Amino acid sequence: NAGVTQTPKFRVLKTGQSMTLLCAQDMNHEYMYWYRQDPGMGLRLIHYSVGEGTTAKGEVPDGYNVSRLKKQNFLLGLESAAPSQTSVYFCASSQRDMQTQYFGPGTRLLVL
Amino acid sequence: AQTVTQSQPEMSVQEAETVTLSCTYDTSESDYYLFWYKQPPSRQMILVIRQEAYKQQNATENRFSVNFQKAAKSFSLKISDSQLGDAAMYFCAYYNYGQNFVFGPGTRLSVLP
């Protein structure tokens, strides 16, 4: 039981490049979330999903897209990376609404 | 919109001593959840303790306990018998039905040997 895993752990991109961050959970959780964490700030929600095939915008969705084709996976895409997207990205999952969130180890992204 | 405030950017405590981290929040709701998460240097977010607003009894988890003051919208975390492994960033978080988690900016706790 690995919990929540994230791939990759670290990535460097050039401005304008695209990439996809993968989050996987093996706890059969319905809800999944993508956050970004910036220095001096708490986590901010980018997008979330309440079930397979559904996604919704969070607090800071601009510049990101997501997909939840399988219940256990939640992908975060950057179509054209910008330096402002340099951050640490966390994925989380929860059994259902109102439940405790379980976090992955984070992905550090540097956009030059 | 709900907000979560942690007024102490940094705190330090002597090993084996007790420390209290403060958190206040703003909401007009009566039923919600509050959490404390710990983020060690490994960056992984780890749940420390959770409190349901409808419960008057303060949550406890081994050396960790909270002082939940609903009227004052205050949710402080007390760490007793501090250990070196407690050194981390601590985030207070608020959650309400149908809404998203709101995290505070965090408090960096150092434990001095």
Side-chain angles (χ1 to χ4, degrees):
Chain A
N1 189 337
V4 180
T5 58
Q6 292 182 231
T7 308
K9 289 184 173 57
F10 175 65
R11 183 76 181 269
V12 179
L13 289 180
K14 294 181 179 179
T15 297
Q17 286 185 319
S18 64
M19 79 162 294
T20 301
L21 282 66
L22 170 64
C23 174
Q25 53 94 5
D26 61 2
M27 297 174 283
N28 201 36
H29 285 172
E30 291 292 334
Y31 287 67
M32 297 187 74
Y33 314 81
W34 275 108
Y35 292 91
R36 60 177 289 172
Q37 183 181 33
D38 300 295
M41 303 181 73
L43 281 75
R44 292 183 293 169
L45 184 66
I46 305 171
H47 286 279
Y48 65 101
S49 167
V50 301
E52 182 179 322
T54 70
T55 63
K57 294 180 180 180
E59 180 186 356
V60 288
D62 293 342
Y64 305 95
N65 57 76
V66 289
S67 63
R68 183 100 181 267
L69 299 180
K70 294 182 180 180
K71 186 178 183 179
Q72 64 269 32
N73 296 335
F74 194 30
L75 279 63
L76 178 70
L78 286 74
E79 290 186 351
S80 179
S84 61
Q85 293 178 304
T86 293
S87 187
V88 179
Y89 291 85
F90 285 94
C91 176
S93 70
S94 63
Q95 188 172 18
R96 59 182 183 275
D97 199 16
M98 304 175 287
Q99 295 298 310
T100 304
Q101 294 190 7
Y102 295 84
F103 285 83
T107 294
R108 184 165 169 246
L109 177 65
L110 177 61
V111 183
L112 302 176
Chain B
Q2 284 76 15
T3 58
V4 177
T5 302
Q6 294 178 249
S7 60
Q8 306 150 316
E10 296 185 1
M11 293 277 288
S12 63
V13 62
Q14 210 72 33
E15 197 176 3
E17 296 295 312
T18 296
V19 65
T20 299
L21 309 183
S22 65
C23 171
T24 58
Y25 56 94
D26 183 28
T27 184
S28 58
E29 305 293 336
S30 60
D31 200 6
Y32 48 86
Y33 293 77
L34 296 164
F35 302 83
W36 277 100
Y37 281 90
K38 170 185 176 182
Q39 187 181 44
S42 66
R43 292 207 310 266
Q44 186 144 13
M45 296 284 284
I46 303 166
L47 176 69
V48 175
I49 202 163
R50 158 184 157 148
Q51 173 83 42
E52 290 89 343
Y54 66 85
K55 289 186 178 179
Q56 293 184 342
Q57 187 173 8
N58 289 325
T60 63
E61 197 69 44
N62 300 317
R63 297 182 296 107
F64 298 88
S65 61
V66 297
N67 183 6
F68 174 47
Q69 301 291 326
K70 191 172 184 179
K73 297 179 184 176
S74 171
F75 183 60
S76 61
L77 174 70
K78 185 171 81 171
I79 306 174
S80 304
D81 186 25
S82 297
Q83 301 176 358
L84 295 177
D86 295 334
M89 282 288 288
Y90 286 82
F91 292 95
C92 179
Y94 165 99
Y95 180 80
N96 188 26
Y97 294 86
Q99 299 181 15
N100 300 316
F101 272 72
V102 179
F103 287 83
T107 296
R108 182 175 301 280
L109 178 66
S110 302
V111 180
L112 308 174

